[in-house]
């Protein structure tokens, strides 16, 4: 079976969840081959995890040029790899970096691009949800191979252990790809809570939480359940919680096992970021709030009464 290239998203020596999702998808399309790009020594700590999710091969492009510049050198290396290998498909994460690399790669290869897909089938037909999840589009490239960015949390990663053969890539990047250099990289310290887009439990607060101080209630419930904290845009715009925790069309997309919406009305732009959550629980004092149309379990009540009671029950168990 032809190879399906999966461009690995990684950080701090760890493989990001979206990569595991892409490897799971790649197994349905052909033989998954992971592509790790970064500075010298970047691939070694990632190999076990990539093998665990079925990467039969790991192409390792390791060079200071791939670490010290913005994404153009990575697109150049990938373009060479695609031209030489003729893979069945190329998958990148629909993340800030993945999208930028994919766009450059499509131009270099004169290839169509399927952006932000939630599924891709063996015939190269992609599924995309647009207009805040209200419309589903099926699309296909009309030139070249299926080159797609995959929306994080669109599918569940399933392990399928394989022994990955490591193939070092020759990295020859010319000066035209080195026009913007990284001058500083500041990694936010990792909090005690899981990363929002990777958490299996997300507790989100909305305008109904009232103020920044009250968000402690949301955090407390998240900590009891080992979850991450999210926020609606109204809560973020009101200064209750930082923007990096915003869930929705203009925020993060999450798809946890459990999503709890506290004092959130359920506007379409909020739903766009959480509607694929497996179980949705809503607490809202307005029985007519649209979030109840989506919720698996709804509590009509004041969150300042309901949340402390729920927390007390959880502590007893
Ligand atoms: P509200 O709609 O004001 O709802 C607050 C809810 O809290 C109400 O239902 C109320 O009944 C309930 N409540 C109040 N007090 C209590 C209490 N004590 N106990 C229980 N319930 C209580 N929104 C997002 O969230 N994410 C996005 O990414 C996003 N992107 C957008 C992009 C665009 C282009 C636009 C136009 C809008 C976007 N929005 C986004 C905004 C969105 O339209 C809504 O305005 C927003 O989601 C509302 O947030 P909310 O539900 O917290 O506030």
């Amino acid at each position: 079976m032809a190879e399906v290239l999966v461009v690995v998203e990684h950080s701090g020596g760890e493989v990001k969840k979206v990569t595991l999702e892409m490897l799971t998808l790649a197994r349905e399309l052909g033989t998954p081959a992971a592509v790790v790009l970064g500075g010298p020594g970047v691939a070694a700590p990632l190999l076990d995890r990539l093998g665990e999710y079925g990467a039969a091969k790991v192409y390792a492009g390791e060079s200071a040029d791939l670490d010290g510049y913005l994404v153009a050198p990575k697109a150049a290396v990938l373009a060479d790899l695609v031209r030489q290998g003729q893979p069945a498909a190329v998958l990148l994460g629909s993340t800030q970096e993945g999208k930028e690399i994919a766009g450059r790669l499509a131009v270099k290869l004169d290839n169509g691009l399927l952006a932000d897909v939630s599924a891709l089938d063996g015939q190269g037909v992609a599924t995309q949800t647009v207009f805040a999840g209200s419309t589903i589009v099926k699309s296909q490239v009309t030139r070249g191979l299926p080159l797609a960015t995959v929306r994080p949390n669109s599918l569940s990663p399933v392990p399928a252990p394989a022994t990955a053969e490591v193939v070092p890539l020759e990295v020859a990047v010319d000066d035209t790809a080195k026009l913007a250099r990284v001058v500083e990289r500041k990694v936010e310290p990792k909090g005690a809570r899981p990363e929002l887009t990777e958490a299996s439990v997300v507790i989100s607060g909305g305008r109904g939480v009232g103020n920044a101080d009250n968000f402690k209630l949301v955090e407390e419930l998240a900590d009891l359940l080992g979850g991450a904290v999210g926020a609606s845009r109204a809560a973020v715009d009101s200064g209750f919680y930082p923007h990096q925790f915003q869930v929705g069309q203009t925020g993060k997309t999450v798809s946890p096992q459990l999503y709890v919406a506290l004092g959130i009305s359920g506007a379409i732009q909020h739903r766009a970021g959480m509607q694929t959550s497996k179980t949705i629980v809503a607490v809202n004092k307005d029985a007519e709030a649209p979030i109840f149309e989506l919720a698996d379990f709804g509590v009509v009540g004041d969150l300042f009464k309901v949340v402390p009671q729920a927390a007390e029950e959880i502590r007893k168990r």
Side-chain angles (χ1 to χ4, degrees):
M1 270 203 292
E3 279 181 356
V4 176
L5 297 184
V6 171
V7 181
V8 175
E9 294 259 344
H10 56 91
S11 160
E14 284 177 24
V15 178
K16 296 266 199 174
K17 189 170 157 228
V18 67
T19 303
L20 310 180
E21 293 161 6
M22 289 191 287
L23 285 170
T24 304
L25 173 61
R27 295 204 306 264
E28 290 168 21
L29 307 174
T31 306
V35 187
V36 178
L37 301 172
V42 69
L46 312 176
L47 297 178
D48 286 352
R49 195 85 170 130
L50 295 172
E52 205 183 314
Y53 282 81
K57 202 183 266 181
V58 175
Y59 292 106
E62 301 182 311
S63 158
D65 283 348
L66 294 178
D67 197 35
Y69 295 88
L70 297 184
V71 299
K74 293 182 179 173
V77 171
L78 280 169
D80 286 344
L81 183 61
V82 172
R83 283 190 200 106
Q84 286 159 24
Q86 297 295 318
V90 181
L91 307 179
L92 297 100
S94 200
T95 60
Q96 197 177 338
E97 181 170 293
K99 285 189 272 195
E100 195 178 340
I101 296 176
R104 287 171 182 271
L105 188 58
V107 171
K108 280 182 180 300
L109 298 172
D110 193 20
N111 196 107
L113 171 60
L114 304 162
D116 210 24
V117 313
S118 54
L120 182 67
D121 70 18
Q123 278 67 52
V125 177
T127 306
Q128 292 142 310
T129 24
V130 297
F131 300 133
S134 62
T135 305
I136 293 171
V137 175
K138 301 267 185 191
S139 60
Q140 203 170 19
V141 295
T142 53
R143 189 156 63 218
L145 49 81
L147 165 60
T149 64
V150 178
R151 180 184 281 201
N153 293 314
S154 297
L155 64 153
S156 302
V158 180
T163 308
E165 176 202 352
V166 182
V167 181
L169 283 181
E170 202 178 311
V171 178
V173 179
D174 66 31
D175 287 348
T176 57
K178 295 186 192 170
L179 299 179
R181 195 162 66 83
V182 175
V183 287
E184 190 188 3
R185 200 172 268 132
K186 217 162 147 188
V187 180
E188 290 288 331
K190 236 186 176 178
R193 297 192 188 101
E195 214 274 302
L196 182 55
T197 55
E198 304 200 347
S200 52
V201 174
V202 174
I203 315 292
S204 284
R207 203 197 310 265
V209 173
N211 60 44
D213 209 36
N214 289 346
F215 249 80
K216 287 199 189 99
L217 204 63
V218 183
E219 292 182 330
E220 196 185 29
L221 189 58
D223 291 342
L224 277 171
L225 295 169
V229 174
S232 72
R233 176 156 157 186
V236 169
D237 287 350
S238 308
F240 301 172
Y241 221 63
H243 176 257
Q244 78 233 46
F245 298 99
Q246 183 179 313
V247 172
Q249 187 185 330
T250 43
K252 303 250 166 82
T253 302
V254 300
S255 190
Q257 294 299 319
L258 173 66
Y259 186 87
V260 182
L262 303 172
I264 292 177
S265 60
I268 190 164
Q269 297 90 352
H270 186 77
R271 293 174 180 216
M274 46 66 74
Q275 62 195 354
T276 56
S277 304
K278 309 297 172 293
T279 301
I280 298 170
V281 177
V283 180
N284 197 303
K285 65 181 184 185
D286 174 8
E288 303 297 319
I291 191 77
F292 289 127
E293 293 162 13
L294 193 67
D296 299 288
F297 300 96
V299 182
V300 180
D302 183 343
L303 72 93
F304 298 104
K305 289 191 184 137
V306 175
V307 175
Q309 281 175 30
E312 200 184 312
E313 267 315 303
I314 295 164
R315 267 191 219 97
K316 281 188 203 159
R317 291 169 193 216

